[in-house]
Amino acid sequence: NAGVTQTPKFQVLKTGQSMTLQCAQDMNHEYMSWYRQDPGMGLRLIHYSVGAGITDQGEVPNGYNVSRSTTEDFPLRLLSAAPSQTSVYFCASSDLQGYQETQYFGPGTRLLVL
Amino acid sequence: SQQGEEDPQALSIQEGENATMNCSYKTSINNLQWYRQNSGRGLVHLILIRSNEREKHSGRLRVTLDTSKKSSSLLITASRAADTASYFCATDARGAQKLVFGQGTRLTINP
């Protein structure tokens, strides 16, 4: 199993540009989530999904969209990038009871917005 | 606001010593988890303790949970240089389908 994969590893955007961060898992996990990590801020939940076709907002959803058309994929879209979105983004997945159980994290995407 | 808060924010000890990190949270939980993050990498799950458990062990790791004080501690015994990392607690507030992480403790093991 590849586990949780994220692409790209690193991206530079200009303010106002849009992009999609890809996340995929091959463990047939129902629960998937996106976090952002900023220095000294820990991880903050952006959006999460309990299964295909179902998504919900986390702590910091503004400026981000998600969709879950398949169990495997959970892309995160930045609609109009802002410097405040410069961060490291992590995708995670989990089986069984989802949020209550072990989360498997991807390697992260470093995003720089100029 | 953060559900889990780790203390201390940073800890530096000598190799071979024990390291203790604490986590406090605000609302009732189902489970509490601890994760490790090496610099520039994703988080790795260490241990999960359920709300009806008081103590759990995994190798050199010992986790305690005190639901009356809404706090948990992670003890790493006989520390090694490879234990240098950031450690995060994560809690799932009851009624909320999400896992919330604290800000982490940065642990440095000096040889």
Side-chain angles (χ1 to χ4, degrees), chain A residues 3 18 32 41 43 46 51 53 57 60 63-64 66 69 77 90 92 95 97 104 106 113:
Chain A
S18 62
M32 297 185 73
M41 295 292 291
L43 277 79
I46 305 172
Q57 296 180 350
V60 289
Y64 306 95
V66 291
S69 56
R77 280 184 290 277
F90 290 100
D95 60 3
Q97 299 302 311
Y104 296 85
V113 182

Side-chain angles (χ1 to χ4, degrees), chain B residues 1-7 22-26 89 101-104:
Chain B
S1 61
Q2 294 287 349
Q3 161 75 328
E5 297 288 342
E6 287 94 341
D7 171 64
N22 302 296
C23 171
S24 60
Y25 57 93
K26 297 175 182 174
C89 70
F101 286 78
Q103 296 181 2

Side-chain angles (χ1 to χ4, degrees), chain A residues 64-113:
Chain A
Y64 306 95
N65 271 358
V66 291
S67 59
R68 186 90 181 274
S69 56
T70 67
T71 299
E72 294 78 21
D73 300 298
F74 191 41
L76 178 72
R77 280 184 290 277
L78 278 70
L79 309 173
S80 177
S84 61
Q85 294 179 303
T86 292
S87 188
V88 181
Y89 292 84
F90 290 100
C91 178
S93 73
S94 178
D95 60 3
L96 299 175
Q97 299 302 311
Y99 67 99
Q100 294 183 27
E101 300 297 330
T102 300
Q103 303 294 310
Y104 296 85
F105 280 83
T109 293
R110 291 184 176 274
L111 177 66
L112 174 62
V113 182

Side-chain angles (χ1 to χ4, degrees), chain B residues 95-108:
Chain B
Q97 288 183 306
K98 52 191 177 184
L99 198 63
V100 180
F101 286 78
Q103 296 181 2
T105 292
R106 191 170 61 254
L107 175 65
T108 302

